Amino acid sequence: MPSSTHALLASLRETMAARALLASTLRVSRLAGRTAHVRCASGGGIPTDEQQATGLEKVIMRSMKAGTDPYSMLKPKQYSGSKQDPHIVPSITNKRIVGCVCEEDNTAIVWFWLHEGEAQRCPSCGSHYKLVPHDLPH
């Protein structure tokens, strides 16, 4: 047999199998006293991620659409570290410990306490950091 005949037979088998499956589903649903809800992609389309999202995923998708970052998932904005443009450090309390890698190739971290109020300097390199209040999203 030519290959086009094989393809036609395979297509017919798939169609017949799909019809048999639909018929058995309808038969079972009638026996149970319910109507079968058949949903095809051609009828309503495939649902989007926003339509299928639930729970925290839905909260994150809505806030990202609104332009906010509720769980600090995105890379923070770069600051110069000067007194006029200090590095912003969010905190849910009035103080937080901060680690500063003063130089790019430095292997030691300089740790210091950052308190709410004015911007503070790193004791080693002089970069400025400012503590800002941050509310938890939930």
Side-chain angles (χ1 to χ4, degrees), residues 6 14-15 24 33 41 43 64 73 79-80 86 91 109 111 115 123 130:
H6 286 293
E14 289 174 5
T15 305
S24 65
M64 294 295 257
M73 297 185 312
Y79 298 96
S80 65
S91 178
I109 300 173
W111 296 98
H115 297 273
K130 182 172 177 65

Side-chain angles (χ1 to χ4, degrees), residues 29 54 73 128 137:
S29 66
T54 60
M73 297 185 312
H128 285 79

Side-chain angles (χ1 to χ4, degrees), residues 52-62 71:
Q52 290 186 359
T54 60
L56 286 177
E57 184 182 18
K58 192 173 211 171
V59 169
I60 291 169
M61 289 178 109
R62 284 183 180 167
Y71 295 101

Side-chain angles (χ1 to χ4, degrees), residues 49-115:
D49 289 341
E50 289 84 17
Q51 292 170 334
Q52 290 186 359
T54 60
L56 286 177
E57 184 182 18
K58 192 173 211 171
V59 169
I60 291 169
M61 289 178 109
R62 284 183 180 167
S63 62
M64 294 295 257
K65 199 176 258 189
T68 59
D69 186 15
Y71 295 101
S72 302
M73 297 185 312
L74 300 177
K75 182 180 177 187
K77 179 185 166 203
Q78 291 290 336
Y79 298 96
S80 65
S82 66
K83 190 167 186 162
Q84 293 77 22
D85 188 27
H87 298 287
I88 302 297
V89 179
S91 178
I92 59 172
T93 62
N94 60 354
K95 64 181 179 178
R96 184 169 175 181
I97 195 162
V98 175
C100 181
V101 180
C102 299
E103 297 172 15
E104 192 173 319
D105 60 345
N106 200 354
T107 58
I109 300 173
V110 178
W111 296 98
F112 61 96
W113 281 101
L114 185 61
H115 297 273

